[in-house]
Structures are given as C-alpha cells and as structure tokens.
Amino acid sequence: MYYLERRCVRQSASVDLSETKRGIQFLRPEESAHVSRGSLLLRMELRSNPAMLCVVRNALGQLAATLGFSEPECREVVLAVDEALTNIIRHAYLGDAERPIEASFRRIHASRADKSGDALEIVLEDRGVTVNSKKMCGRALEDVRPGGLGLHFIRECMDTVEFSRRNGRNQLRLVKILHAQGSQKGT
Amino acid sequence: MQIAARHLDKITIFDISGDIDLATSPELRKALLRELRELKMPRVVLNLGAVRYIDSSGVASLVEGLKASRDVGSRLILFGLNRTIREVLQLSKLLKIFEIYENEEQSVAP
C-alpha cells in the first residue's frame, strides 16, 4: 500500500510560503499547488474506505516522529491528515469506499512571514466531485452542533493549507514546519 | 473501537477503547442515542480511559449525545480523558460544554 524512499530523507526542496495566509488557500483552476520534487519520503495509494484511516494514522505518526516532530506536533499532523481524508471520503466520494486516494509525503524547506525551516509537505489527491469552496469554511465554534469541525482542525494543526482542482482531480496540500525559526504557534 | 456497557442503578456506563473515527463513530452515536432517547437513562457515563484517538466525527457523536441528553433531561458524563482527547476537545472549544470528571467514582456519585 505504501513505500518509503529513505534515500530522499536528507534532500529538501525550497518553497516560499510567505504569501500563504492562515486558513485555506483556494487556487484558481489555472494554478496548481507547488508540489515539491525530489524529496519524497512516502507515497500511499489507498481506497476511500474509512477502515483504512487507522492504517494511515499509524504510518504517518511514525513518519512524523522519525522526522523529528514533537509528540504534540505528531498528533497535530495525524489529526489534520485524518480529517482531510475523512472529508475526501465523505464529500468528494460521497461515502463510496472503493475510490482511489493518493497521498504523498515530502521533506521540504518552507518559509512564511513568521517562521521558516524544514517541513513536512503532504499532498492528497482524489478524483471525486468538485468541492464547493464556499462550503469549505467550517462553522463558527460558538455554534455547538455536530459536524463542521474537520476544517477547523486542519487549519489549526497545519501551517499551510492549499486546495486546488486540476485535470479532474482535487488536490489538497498541507505543510507543517519542523523546528521553526521565529515565533511559533502555542501548541 | 470497542464499546462495553455496564449498568449501575439508573446509570449506564460505557467502557470505550480504541480509536473513534469515521469508521467507528456511528456505532458510538447509535449506542448513545439508544440509551438517551429510547431507554431514557437519567445518566450516561463514558469511560474514555482506553480511547487512543478521536477525530471530528467522534466529537460530533459526543455533541449529538450531549444534545440528546439535554433534550430528555438526563446527564452525559465523560471521564478518563487522556491528553489526546483533551487536545482535540480543546481545539474544538468544546471542552467546557461537557460534564467531565477525573474518575468513575466521581462520575457516578449522587
């Protein structure tokens, strides 16, 4: 289901995230998320089966720890990716458990206005229905009701969240900066 | 995820273990709503001490259970929250809306 390219662990690609704001960045159709090259750590091809979520969580938790993320940071990365996969299963594939999802994990160098450093880049791709960006805004936390928390978790846990649609595929790019230089979030 | 139910007078105690996620949260939701809406138990207690992970769908099930408990005038109580569950509830700003105790003794106290 997945493989690890150890030889690439030490490589890093540089991505400028200085324009990325807190929250989800929706790229126009003519744009595509800047997916890094040459630093692949892990790639997974899985089906949109909820039973597979625990497999991804376990593998990703190990990967994040191997890269040097702290335990709370590992939990944040795992939660964000789990929520993103849940959204794909529920909203892009409407609960169909047999559709393909591709996940790739790369080590990159990332910077933004307040911090920079080595980072874990995660790209999730699906072939589901187009996600309405207007519906991808979560809900007010004061509104106590079931649902709508997944996007909030993703935004809170990751440094960059970019969504794009290209060639019939939804692509979600998440970045978590490791050992950030400069101010950090209170985690 | 595994759920085991115990009954103590008019209190239902669910001992839950494993991961509460998209695959398993429907089972939790069903169990909670059965105790609260159908059986109208005055108090339902969730022992979360052996839960390793909870995601937004699990939190949604807890919120739905909480709303059901308020609708029928009963209490939904949580105890045994580990750091992972506290972090997720804190992140969702929902930690304070639940009735949470440290242990079972406090949760079943009159």
Side-chain angles (χ1 to χ4, degrees):
Chain A
M1 176 177 293
Y2 56 85
Y3 61 86
L4 185 64
E5 289 196 358
R6 291 177 183 164
R7 62 188 171 82
C8 295
V9 169
R10 293 192 182 89
Q11 299 175 355
S12 67
S14 180
V15 178
D16 181 7
L17 304 177
S18 59
E19 297 300 318
T20 304
K21 298 176 181 176
R22 198 89 180 111
I24 300 176
Q25 190 172 43
F26 294 97
L27 303 179
R28 293 187 297 274
E30 62 271 24
E31 298 176 313
S32 61
H34 185 141
V35 179
S36 306
R37 305 288 180 193
S39 54
L40 185 66
L41 298 169
L42 176 69
R43 175 174 289 158
M44 294 180 178
E45 296 179 7
L46 59 148
R47 295 286 138 182
S48 52
N49 186 337
M52 288 294 103
L53 291 172
C54 63
V55 177
V56 178
R57 288 197 299 269
N58 289 336
L60 179 55
Q62 294 285 333
L63 177 65
T66 301
L67 288 174
F69 285 102
S70 66
E71 284 188 23
E73 288 172 332
C74 289
R75 289 195 291 270
E76 289 182 336
V77 171
V78 167
L79 180 63
V81 173
D82 180 81
E83 296 292 349
L85 290 171
T86 292
N87 282 346
I88 290 172
I89 294 169
R90 293 182 63 190
H91 303 300
Y93 287 145
L94 307 174
D96 185 340
E98 293 299 323
R99 303 296 303 280
I101 300 174
E102 295 174 21
S104 60
F105 306 83
R106 290 176 169 82
R107 183 168 189 158
I108 64 171
H109 183 84
S111 62
R112 40 181 278 172
D114 56 342
K115 59 182 177 179
S116 66
D118 286 348
L120 175 61
E121 177 194 70
I122 300 149
V123 176
L124 304 177
E125 288 191 342
D126 67 76
R127 301 173 192 175
V129 298
T130 305
V131 178
N132 185 344
S133 60
K134 291 178 181 175
K135 292 183 178 178
M136 288 184 64
C137 56
R139 64 164 170 81
L141 292 178
E142 296 75 21
D143 181 14
V144 178
R145 62 174 171 78
L149 286 171
L151 281 172
H152 170 72
F153 288 171
I154 295 170
R155 285 193 299 256
E156 284 297 310
C157 292
M158 303 302 287
D159 292 301
T160 296
V161 183
E162 290 177 349
F163 178 81
S164 63
R165 173 84 179 179
R166 191 174 176 85
N167 298 327
R169 291 181 173 215
N170 296 310
Q171 185 182 77
L172 182 68
R173 177 175 177 269
L174 309 171
V175 176
K176 181 81 169 175
I177 298 177
L178 175 70
H179 302 320
Q181 304 292 313
S183 61
Q184 297 186 26
K185 289 186 299 183
T187 53
Chain B
M1 181 194 72
Q2 291 187 322
I3 303 179
R6 292 181 282 135
H7 293 93
L8 187 68
D9 294 331
K10 293 184 178 180
I11 302 172
T12 298
I13 303 170
F14 285 121
D15 297 305
I16 305 171
S17 60
D19 294 2
I20 307 175
D21 64 5
L22 182 65
T24 59
S25 59
E27 185 183 350
L28 172 61
R29 175 183 178 276
K30 184 178 177 183
L32 280 177
L33 296 184
R34 180 175 183 273
E35 293 298 313
L36 291 163
R37 285 187 181 156
E38 294 178 26
L39 302 179
K40 302 197 185 311
M41 295 298 290
R43 193 184 314 191
V44 175
V45 175
L46 302 186
N47 172 9
L48 301 175
V51 173
R52 295 178 305 181
Y53 178 82
I54 188 168
D55 73 353
S56 65
S57 67
V59 174
S61 295
L62 295 181
V63 170
E64 200 162 354
L66 180 65
K67 284 187 171 285
S69 72
R70 289 175 176 174
D71 289 345
V72 299
S74 61
R75 293 166 67 188
L76 177 68
I77 295 174
L78 316 180
F79 79 90
L81 280 67
N82 61 31
R83 183 179 300 176
T84 300
I85 299 175
R86 283 188 182 275
E87 282 175 354
V88 172
L89 290 178
Q90 187 73 48
L91 204 56
S92 60
K93 313 289 186 196
L94 292 172
L95 198 55
K96 291 181 179 175
I97 72 162
F98 288 103
E99 188 174 355
I100 298 172
Y101 295 107
E102 289 298 315
N103 54 50
E104 181 170 325
E105 185 180 8
Q106 294 171 350
S107 301
V108 301

